Amino acid sequence: MKKIKIGIIGAGRIGKIHADNLRRHPQAEIVAISDLFAGPELTEWALDRGISIVTKDSDELLTNPDIDAVFICSSTDTHVPLIKRAAQQGKHIFCEKPVSMDIRQTEEAIEEVRKAGVQLQVGFNRRFDHNFKRIREHVLAGSIGETHLIKITSRDPAPPPEDYIKVSGGIFMDMMIHDFDMARFLSGSEVEEVYAQGSVLIDPVFGKHGDVDTAVVTMRFANGALGVIDCSRKAVYGYDQRAEVFGSKGSAAATNDHPNTAVLSTEEGVISEKPLHFFLERYNTAYIEETEQFINVLLQGGDVSVSGADACQAERIALAAKLSLRDNRSVKLSELKELIEEA
């Protein structure tokens, strides 16, 4: 039985999640893992999972002839050089989002992938969520008719630490970029124009680093539909992930997942569980499925589910939202090239 041999670059939380998920696939074998801070603890962790090579040098993976594909799970600023190097070495690539904070760099990385003829899948895992996939199926089947409105709610249970905030790229690139990709995924249409509003309502540390913690973005799609995304860094009741597509024949909506669906009803009130705590719990099966689909494409051929072009488009929407907030006006995506050149 053929196996795809994998190298993982970056052994933080997400790298280890991908490692454990890859081990579930009978035709995937993790050959090596690299991390700048690799030490005895990582070596022990890797050996427990049958990973024999642990190194601080990612180039050992990228030049290893036994490795077919790499999972890039390191910090965002390393993604572009690693993608380029992997492509030049003929490795297929799975890269966490975003590819970069700079659209021009992302485009350069995608071009390197194209020239090398390798696969690049980007980690927009929410496309693989059972709830959101079902909405998309209804839209594609015509069940709700012509799409008129897309509404997405995305709220984290708690804000990230300051060390993360200052390098995250901001709420649009770091957090809401998932929702920009989801808007394209659910609508089946491209975003043409955005208008963003944002405030610092949770913690002044966001403002200190030129960011906001609460934002609303409205969008106009190429097919005429309108969209609204509301985003918050802190929802005291848990991880709030909801979406609705409304159309001429009805709507398709997904509510939050919960630990259980039991509801206690008494004269004092009606009580149910809070939503699942955070993204690891909420999107656990989505992480598994995106990994499985990537390996299956490498084995069987075809196209990856989330391409570099998809990632680039989400980044373009995020940049338009950032510029809209800065300039307090709507921004058309067709303006971006000119605005980037002016910056």
Side-chain angles (χ1 to χ4, degrees):
M1 182 172 60
K2 180 182 178 181
K3 287 197 173 186
I4 302 297
K5 295 186 177 181
I6 306 291
I8 298 175
I9 301 173
R13 178 170 57 180
I14 196 65
K16 289 178 177 176
I17 288 170
H18 284 309
D20 285 336
N21 289 339
L22 282 164
R23 294 176 68 238
R24 301 166 63 100
H25 199 296
Q27 290 179 266
E29 178 185 347
I30 306 171
V31 173
I33 189 164
S34 71
D35 191 276
L36 288 174
F37 304 101
E41 184 178 339
L42 179 60
T43 299
E44 181 180 355
W45 176 91
L47 289 175
D48 284 345
R49 288 157 176 79
I51 306 171
S52 57
I53 300 174
V54 179
T55 177
K56 293 182 179 181
D57 185 2
S58 61
D59 212 50
E60 288 187 33
L61 278 64
L62 297 172
T63 58
N64 186 330
D66 293 331
I67 290 177
D68 303 305
V70 292
F71 273 61
I72 299 175
C73 308
S74 48
S75 59
T76 301
D77 62 315
T78 68
H79 290 178
V80 167
L82 288 172
I83 289 172
K84 289 181 177 180
R85 181 70 168 141
Q88 290 161 1
Q89 293 295 315
K91 312 296 186 191
H92 300 293
I93 305 154
F94 181 103
C95 182
E96 274 302 325
K97 66 82 197 169
V99 171
S100 79
M101 302 294 185
D102 186 320
I103 290 173
R104 289 167 294 192
Q105 290 186 20
T106 298
E107 291 173 343
E108 289 175 7
I110 293 170
E111 176 61 16
E112 202 70 40
V113 167
R114 186 197 65 78
K115 288 193 296 185
V118 297
Q119 295 280 7
L120 168 62
Q121 180 171 322
V122 182
F124 283 106
N125 63 296
R126 296 183 191 181
R127 289 188 179 217
F128 302 88
D129 172 70
H130 57 288
N131 295 317
F132 299 146
K133 280 199 305 180
R134 190 63 180 138
I135 293 179
R136 178 174 166 83
E137 288 167 2
H138 284 308
V139 173
L140 292 178
S143 304
I144 66 163
E146 180 183 332
T147 299
H148 292 173
L149 292 169
I150 297 96
K151 297 175 68 177
I152 297 172
T153 291
S154 180
R155 303 168 187 165
D156 282 356
E162 183 173 3
D163 284 348
Y164 181 83
I165 294 168
K166 64 186 180 183
V167 297
S168 73
I171 196 169
F172 301 121
M173 187 64 74
D174 161 55
M175 182 179 176
M176 202 181 282
I177 195 166
H178 274 293
D179 308 301
F180 295 142
D181 180 68
M182 187 53 49
R184 296 180 63 239
F185 178 69
L186 296 180
S187 70
S189 184
E190 293 294 349
V191 175
E192 289 192 333
E193 186 175 3
V194 303
Y195 179 65
Q197 288 280 281
S199 294
V200 178
L201 301 174
I202 296 166
D203 191 328
V205 70
F206 287 96
K208 173 183 172 183
H209 295 289
D211 197 8
V212 296
D213 53 40
T214 308
V216 174
V217 173
T218 59
M219 301 164 289
R220 181 180 295 277
F221 294 84
N223 63 3
L226 302 176
V228 179
I229 301 171
D230 74 78
C231 192
S232 173
R233 289 286 194 179
K234 183 180 180 182
V236 295
Y237 51 84
Y239 195 39
D240 195 351
Q241 299 284 287
R242 291 171 282 147
E244 178 191 15
V245 180
F246 170 80
S248 58
K249 294 182 180 178
S251 75
T255 58
N256 289 308
D257 278 356
H258 297 79
N260 62 69
T261 59
V263 178
L264 173 65
S265 301
T266 69
E267 63 180 356
E268 283 80 26
V270 178
I271 302 171
S272 64
E273 292 275 8
K274 294 179 181 179
L276 292 173
H277 177 63
F278 208 9
F279 68 95
L280 294 182
E281 296 86 356
R282 174 65 175 80
Y283 293 116
N284 178 53
T285 57
Y287 279 115
I288 293 169
E289 187 169 339
E290 72 172 354
T291 300
E292 289 180 348
Q293 288 202 20
F294 178 64
I295 298 300
N296 290 339
V297 166
L298 301 189
L299 289 166
Q300 301 163 15
D303 297 323
V304 294
S305 300
V306 193
S307 68
D310 290 317
C312 192
Q313 194 64 7
E315 289 176 26
R316 293 180 76 240
I317 300 169
L319 176 58
K322 184 175 181 178
L323 294 172
S324 172
L325 181 65
R326 184 195 70 183
D327 298 343
N328 191 28
R329 67 176 182 89
S330 64
V331 173
K332 294 180 179 179
L333 269 67
S334 60
E335 297 180 67
L336 288 182
K337 183 176 180 181
E338 181 180 342
L339 290 172
I340 291 170
E341 289 174 351
E342 291 176 354

